[in-house]
């Protein structure tokens, strides 16, 4: 069973149609035998270069190994990622590629003359989460309930898009998602893989939302979230998160990926839920300037060794 909802055919089709890309489901295996297998989805732009589609946290990667011995897993994963790095280099990058946390060995990409920088998120084990969550997060959700907010699974995509516009106006970025795009994605993925949580205040006005992708029995992902400015102090974010976690537990999901923890206030908010800090890597082609700098540093190091 694949635990990553980013492999869902509807998600892949949405990326192709929404951003004008061409997707390729890539499977890599050894030249002989079936000791390991790596699956991913690559996206090409109109120039044939590989890109990470907008609004994608990373490119999904699934790795399987026929052995349970740590030494064998390490070796075979390195081999699989080396093959992937070679394929990326041959095709060419149209920008930076964000890779799944599954690609936790970045050396093959560096060996293939790519640079890598770490990015972070939090993964919360949904079962037993009550013991991990900081009381402050629970307190804010209780405050929201006392103010007579309620949260529901909703197909009111106009209301959802309205809540997503809150952080857009405050922080100056664009989700590039209108009600029509949300409706299209819901149709492509279906209710078993796409869900919107919507919080309304006592007057029934939509004030906060969280749009999630998930694989029943696998991972759930906090794809997009937003709340209106006037509700920021009411604990709406926490109420919606609590309701989402309860929903995904009922779907048998094992891990909730908060998607991103690279900005100080965002990291502070997300760490309160007690998840595990997870690193993934963004890779890019090394430019001539960077290669020259690395050659200079290497030469200086060698000269210092020889002078001793």
């Amino acid at each position: 069973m694949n635990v990553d909802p980013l492999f869902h055919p509807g998600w892949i089709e949405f990326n192709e149609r929404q951003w004008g890309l061409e997707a390729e489901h890539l499977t890599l295996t050894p030249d002989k035998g079936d000791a390991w297998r790596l699956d991913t989805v690559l996206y090409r732009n109109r120039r044939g270069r590989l890109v990470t589609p907008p609004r994608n946290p990373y490119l999904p990667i699934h790795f399987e190994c026929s052995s349970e011995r740590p030494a064998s897993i390490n070796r075979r994963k390195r081999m699989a990622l080396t093959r992937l790095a070679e394929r990326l280099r041959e095709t060419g990058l149209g920008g930076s590629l964000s890779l799944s946390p599954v690609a936790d060995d970045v050396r093959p990409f560096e060996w293939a003359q790519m640079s890598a920088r770490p990015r972070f998120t939090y993964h919360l084990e949904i079962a037993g989460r009550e013991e991990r969550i900081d009381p402050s997060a629970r307190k804010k959700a209780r405050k929201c309930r006392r103010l007579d907010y309620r949260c529901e699974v909703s197909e009111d995509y106009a209301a959802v898009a309205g809540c997503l516009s809150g952080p857009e106006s405050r922080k100056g970025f664009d989700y590039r998602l209108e009600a029509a795009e949300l409706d299209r994605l819901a149709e492509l993925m279906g209710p078993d893989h796409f869900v919107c949580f919507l919080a309304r205040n006592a007057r029934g006005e939509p004030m906060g939302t969280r749009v999630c992708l998930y694989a029943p029995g696998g991972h759930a992902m906090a794809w997009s979230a937003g709340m209106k400015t006037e509700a920021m102090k009411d604990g709406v974010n926490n109420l919606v998160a609590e309701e989402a976690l309860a929903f995904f537990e009922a779907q048998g999901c094992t891990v909730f990926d908060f998607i991103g923890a690279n900005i100080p206030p965002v990291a502070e908010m997300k760490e309160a839920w007690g998840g595990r800090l997870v690193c993934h890597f963004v890779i890019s082609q090394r430019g001539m300037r960077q290669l020259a700098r690395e050659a200079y540093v290497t030469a200086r190091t060698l000269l210092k060794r020889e002078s001793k």
Side-chain angles (χ1 to χ4, degrees), residues 299-308:
R300 283 194 62 182
T301 302
L302 291 174
L303 287 172
K304 286 182 179 179
R305 288 177 180 174
E306 291 176 358
S307 65
K308 290 181 179 179

Side-chain angles (χ1 to χ4, degrees), residues 196-255:
C196 296
F197 302 94
L198 186 65
R200 298 181 183 271
N201 63 16
R203 297 184 296 276
E205 300 165 330
M207 303 303 287
T209 190
R210 192 177 288 268
V211 184
C212 297
L213 316 176
Y214 70 103
H219 287 195
M221 309 178 77
W223 180 51
S224 300
M227 60 180 158
K228 296 184 177 177
T229 302
E230 56 268 37
M232 287 185 64
K233 296 182 179 180
D234 292 344
V236 175
N237 224 359
N238 298 68
L239 173 65
V240 176
E242 273 198 349
E243 294 294 327
L245 289 170
F247 174 89
F248 292 127
E249 182 176 34
Q251 305 303 313
C253 295
T254 56
V255 172

